[in-house]
Amino acid sequence: MNDTFDLLIRRASIIDGTGATRRPGDIGIRGDRIAAIGDLSHARGVQEIDLGGRVAAPGFIDAHTHDDRALLSSPDMTPKVSQGITTVITGNCGISLAPTPRAVPRPVTPPLNLLDDEGGWFRFERFGDYVQALREQPAATNCALLVGHTTLRVGTMDALDRVATDDEQAQMRALVDDALSSGAIGVSTGLFYETAVAATTEEVIEVCRPLGEHGGIYCTHMRDEADRIVDSLEETFRIGRETHAPVVISHHKLVGQGNYGRSSETLALIEKRMGEQRVCLDCYPYTAGSTILSADRAATSSRVLVTWSKALPQHAGRDLVDIARDMGVDEAEAIKRLDPAGAIYFRMDEGDVQRILRFGPTMIGSDGLPHDTAPHPRLWGAFPRVLGHYGRVLGLFPMETAVHKMTGLTAQNFGLRDRGVLREGAYADLTLFDPDTVGEAATYEHPMAPAHGIDTVIVNGVVVWRNGQGTGARPGRVLTHEAA
Ligand code: ZN
Ligand code: CU
């Protein structure tokens, strides 16, 4: 027996991603795979790491990101690898960087400007061109890609305030088919946004038809996360049934004071439908959301923080009330002067956030916005906050459950074969951390800070983060799904 490994992790507390109780052991890695797990005290490693009882877990999978452009423009992916993330699901909320068969208008139509407000990165006519660029210049993390319905609308329609014609729907359907054939794992929608709100349920179904045949997944930022959330859930389930696709309810939450507490009702409905069709959901561990700045969203929030402004960049990181006061104008006028801009909105209930996080099938997704000047702290802090604040401190769940929600469960839902679990033969994506200190450092005041307690992060057998620093290695791959 050959007992030399490329990388040998000694004396680990192994949390394997399945939800099983941790067990002591060593992990031997050869090439990009886990070659052995168990008592390897007599083996040697070209490189060795002694964990002294700290945790080895599968690398975290960020179920909900907007990292489409960051993978290319900031390939070290520091906000992600520093918190233990080894795979990101991109293209959420209806916005993906590709394909854009027709030039994206300038200024870039919001919310597409969350990916690139200048527009120069919208340069991939076909989805396959984007996949090829990612393969030619890999990032530090793996990625799995969704194609966005809003991007398709911008790329095929001359006006977005109406339903797509049959011909436009056929064009979008062909683009979806092409994207799924070129490496996309599914389609996302952002029916909540001005750019897609005019799309009917039938439009979405017609555009998403190829999902069934390709085994793709449907992810949605639903039309309404406030008073009409139940209608939106039912719309989502119907789209899943008619396209024969699993659905993912993105960043499940209840917005607005009148809806506080209603997660008992929505989770009961989700659980019921889970018995009838494939339903998944993700959540970020905060009571504030973040997206583009708008007057209606500000009106329903108890506090608004500006995350970026193209017109007045100096106000990023400040409270909207303070900005308006300094300008000597009301908030509506301040919003006009800041536009285009982004914001953090406080408008959720802590009780709902905890109930949704605790719900067994809930996956963790950051929804981080990587290009904001003063981003929501979820970009750097979501995963360690679940492990530390919600797991260890508040005791919402054992650490094994928290890890499962960010690894094994997510890999299974998105069909990422041999990822998200620690076992012989699986890919060597690992996060090594200290269970006593793991936690987020990012706050609303200081949102850009590497997490506490993350020792080492390994992607495809290669160390990308060690002792508080990136190594510069970029072993990330484009992951395609296994047809269910
Ligand atoms: Zn969203
Ligand atoms: Cu999102």
Side-chain angles (χ1 to χ4, degrees):
M1 179 194 151
N2 179 353
D3 51 6
T4 301
F5 298 98
D6 296 329
L7 176 56
L8 178 57
I9 299 163
R10 292 191 189 276
R11 295 197 301 153
S13 238
I14 299 170
I15 297 183
D16 69 6
T18 66
T21 306
R22 70 190 79 183
R23 61 185 198 278
D26 311 308
I27 301 170
I29 294 167
R30 266 192 217 115
D32 62 0
R33 301 269 185 167
I34 296 173
I37 299 186
D39 178 0
L40 305 174
S41 50
H42 299 294
R44 289 184 310 108
V46 176
Q47 191 186 354
E48 296 196 3
I49 296 173
D50 188 337
L51 278 185
R54 291 193 304 281
V55 169
F60 307 150
I61 302 171
D62 191 342
H64 186 106
T65 84
H66 295 286
D67 290 333
D68 302 50
R69 190 258 275 193
L71 288 163
L72 294 171
S73 65
S74 316
D76 288 335
M77 299 288 284
T78 308
K80 296 304 167 84
V81 296
S82 63
Q83 59 178 308
I85 294 167
T86 57
T87 297
V88 296
I89 312 286
T90 68
N92 280 284
C93 299
I95 59 175
S96 58
L97 202 57
T100 52
R102 240 181 24 195
V104 166
R106 313 292 160 87
V108 179
T109 321
L112 283 188
N113 59 358
L114 293 176
L115 296 182
D116 177 20
D117 65 0
E118 300 284 336
W121 287 94
F122 288 98
R123 57 171 78 138
F124 305 105
E125 235 175 89
R126 297 188 52 179
F127 200 85
D129 302 338
Y130 174 54
V131 174
Q132 194 188 337
L134 290 169
R135 287 192 170 131
E136 282 168 4
Q137 303 154 60
T141 63
N142 301 310
C143 56
L145 317 171
L146 300 166
V147 60
H149 170 239
T150 291
T151 297
L152 299 177
R153 291 190 118 230
V154 170
T156 50
M157 298 172 70
D158 53 19
L160 302 176
D161 57 354
R162 59 172 174 80
V163 62
T165 62
D166 289 353
D167 185 50
E168 288 160 345
Q169 290 180 20
Q171 285 178 50
M172 288 193 265
R173 184 165 55 241
L175 290 169
V176 165
D177 191 61
D178 183 62
L180 294 171
S181 307
S182 316
I185 62 161
V187 177
S188 81
T189 59
L191 301 176
F192 162 78
Y193 288 105
E194 294 79 350
T195 39
V197 76
T200 55
T201 312
E202 290 73 21
E203 172 184 322
V204 176
I205 291 169
E206 288 313 317
V207 170
C208 289
R209 284 274 176 226
L211 284 176
E213 185 196 328
H214 289 271
I217 197 164
Y218 174 75
C219 303
T220 181
H221 180 157
M222 298 190 297
R223 215 177 271 283
D224 193 314
E225 298 176 310
D227 300 357
R228 307 196 52 184
I229 188 143
V230 169
D231 294 345
S232 294
L233 284 166
E234 293 294 10
E235 177 182 37
T236 304
F237 302 140
R238 181 183 158 204
I239 293 167
R241 285 193 304 272
E242 296 205 15
T243 59
H244 308 285
V247 300
V248 178
I249 296 149
S250 295
H251 43 60
H252 184 41
K253 59 174 165 301
L254 287 122
V255 163
Q257 272 198 30
N259 297 301
Y260 286 5
R262 289 186 65 198
S263 58
S264 329
E265 183 190 343
T266 59
L267 293 177
L269 176 61
I270 289 168
E271 195 162 25
K272 178 162 176 259
R273 292 286 179 262
M274 280 174 168
E276 300 158 1
Q277 65 184 100
R278 282 195 61 193
V279 180
C280 318
L281 73 163
D282 63 74
C283 176
Y284 52 78
Y286 295 89
T287 55
S290 182
T291 184
I292 43 179
L293 179 62
S294 83
D296 6 321
R297 283 186 278 272
T300 54
S301 304
S302 58
R303 182 186 175 199
V304 179
L305 274 166
V306 172
T307 51
W308 60 278
S309 161
K310 192 133 170 83
L312 301 165
Q314 68 273 24
H315 291 303
R318 301 189 65 205
D319 270 83
L320 181 64
V321 228
D322 297 336
I323 299 170
R325 197 195 337 97
D326 290 358
M327 287 177 173
V329 299
D330 63 8
E331 290 187 18
E333 176 59 27
I335 289 171
K336 275 190 207 141
R337 294 189 190 177
L338 291 159
D339 188 69
I344 293 168
Y345 302 95
F346 289 81
R347 48 182 195 157
M348 285 176 248
D349 173 48
E350 177 66 27
D352 284 323
V353 171
Q354 293 191 17
R355 191 180 293 116
I356 294 168
L357 281 174
R358 224 186 304 125
F359 184 56
T362 303
M363 304 180 280
I364 309 303
S366 70
D367 202 8
L369 297 169
H371 313 298
D372 289 9
T373 317
H376 188 303
R378 66 194 184 186
L379 175 66
W380 290 75
F383 285 72
R385 182 171 167 81
V386 170
L387 294 168
H389 177 70
Y390 284 112
R392 187 184 59 244
V393 179
L394 297 188
L396 240 53
F397 26 58
M399 199 156 278
E400 285 83 349
T401 304
V403 168
H404 177 61
K405 287 170 169 292
M406 44 184 82
T407 58
L409 176 65
T410 318
Q412 190 181 13
N413 286 342
F414 285 97
L416 306 177
R417 188 197 290 270
D418 295 341
R419 307 272 174 187
V421 286
L422 296 185
R423 59 166 165 70
E424 287 173 17
Y427 285 102
D429 291 346
L430 289 97
T431 293
L432 314 179
F433 66 89
D434 182 346
D436 299 328
T437 62
V438 67
E440 85 277 21
T443 61
Y444 290 103
E445 291 70 33
H446 301 284
M448 298 195 270
H452 300 300
I454 304 286
D455 294 342
T456 305
V457 182
I458 299 162
V459 175
N460 296 314
V462 178
V463 176
V464 297
W465 182 264
R466 180 105 177 102
N467 300 325
Q469 275 184 6
T471 62
R474 292 171 190 172
R477 296 181 191 164
V478 180
L479 308 184
T480 49
H481 66 117
E482 59 179 306

